[in-house]
Amino acid sequence: DGGITQSPKYLFRKEGQNVTLSCEQNLNHDAMYWYRQDPGQGLRLIYYSQIVNDFQKGDIAEGYSVSREKKESFPLTVTSAQKNPTAFYLCASQGRGYTFGSGTRLTVV
Amino acid sequence: AQSVTQLGSHVSVSEGALVLLRCNYSSSVPPYLFWYVQYPNQGLQLLLKYTSAATLVKGINGFEAEFKKSETSFHLTKPSAHMSDAAEYFCAVSTTGANSKLTFGKGITLSVRP
């Protein structure tokens, strides 16, 4: 079945460490997105990519980085510069509609 | 620019009662509008979407929403709430064309009382 796979589901890191969240899709979608979800704040766009080797900053890109070397993959790196990285992260892709992964809950201690 | 406003963060209804979740949008171009549902620690599931066809949109699980351009609204309704409807609901807006992206409201948590 086609879909989006985010891994791992839960991730723990120490403060000051970079961490990379995985997002893979087999839907042959060109566009992919990363959102951050915090209680009471909805989903906020971090980065998006409309095509391979190209990506744009979203509303809250500071402290994050991405790459889009393959159509299927859009990994997100949470750097030590992100002041409050503990959150639920959702990846999505867009074809005729939007498809979401099941999310990664990152906890930084 | 586009934005979504979902008034209130929590709605509580009795089982069997009407569910009404409000959504107002702002968009400089004709929008596409969406309602998503999220269960704890899961991704988003599409309930329904408006893409400039019929203004009354029927979705899954008995939900429907009506697009009202004059009121810039896209409220979600369900005639009779079920316990399994308890979840968080997000309204979202997007445009078409290059650099389209989904913009979400803050979400509403729906509780259903027995």
Side-chain angles (χ1 to χ4, degrees):
Chain A
D1 286 343
I4 294 183
T5 301
Q6 289 189 244
S7 60
K9 190 169 180 64
Y10 298 95
L11 190 55
F12 296 86
R13 279 295 183 269
K14 291 184 177 180
E15 193 173 339
Q17 290 181 335
N18 291 357
V19 59
T20 298
L21 281 59
S22 170
C23 178
E24 303 278 334
Q25 55 104 353
N26 60 3
L27 299 164
N28 200 34
H29 289 170
D30 285 316
M32 297 186 73
Y33 306 80
W34 273 106
Y35 289 89
R36 170 181 171 137
Q37 184 177 9
D38 297 282
Q41 297 196 48
L43 281 77
R44 294 179 290 168
L45 183 64
I46 305 172
Y47 268 98
Y48 62 106
S49 168
Q50 300 285 349
I51 198 168
V52 174
N53 292 322
D54 188 44
F55 48 83
Q56 284 80 41
K57 293 181 179 180
D59 301 317
I60 56 165
E62 184 175 352
Y64 300 97
S65 66
V66 294
S67 63
R68 188 80 188 279
E69 297 176 0
K70 298 186 301 182
K71 189 175 187 177
E72 306 79 29
S73 180
F74 191 41
L76 174 74
T77 297
V78 184
T79 75
S80 57
Q82 168 50 234
K83 296 187 188 311
N84 186 18
T86 294
F88 189 59
Y89 292 87
L90 280 166
C91 179
S93 69
Q94 182 192 8
R96 292 186 64 188
Y98 293 87
T99 303
F100 284 83
S102 57
T104 293
R105 184 165 295 282
L106 173 64
T107 302
V108 176
V109 296
Chain B
Q2 56 193 36
S3 65
V4 171
T5 301
Q6 293 184 252
L7 289 178
S9 60
H10 186 232
V11 170
S12 180
V13 301
S14 297
E15 191 172 19
L18 171 72
V19 175
L20 170 61
L21 303 180
R22 300 180 185 275
C23 172
N24 289 88
Y25 71 91
S26 172
S27 178
S28 56
V29 297
Y32 286 2
L33 293 160
F34 306 79
W35 274 101
Y36 288 90
V37 62
Q38 185 183 37
Y39 298 97
N41 290 314
Q42 294 187 25
L44 274 64
Q45 180 183 11
L46 179 67
L47 283 175
L48 49 81
K49 62 181 178 181
Y50 166 77
T51 56
S52 74
T55 57
L56 182 62
V57 182
K58 294 187 183 298
I60 62 172
N61 301 339
F63 285 96
E64 64 180 37
E66 186 173 8
F67 173 70
K68 292 187 176 181
K69 184 178 179 180
S70 61
E71 299 177 9
T72 61
S73 69
F74 191 58
H75 302 331
L76 182 71
T77 61
K78 182 174 180 177
S80 177
H82 190 272
M83 297 297 290
S84 62
D85 294 327
E88 191 160 18
Y89 292 80
F90 293 95
C91 183
V93 62
S94 80
T95 58
T96 60
N99 289 325
S100 73
K101 51 188 177 180
L102 269 179
T103 299
F104 288 86
K106 293 183 183 299
I108 297 176
T109 299
L110 175 66
S111 299
V112 182
R113 304 184 301 271

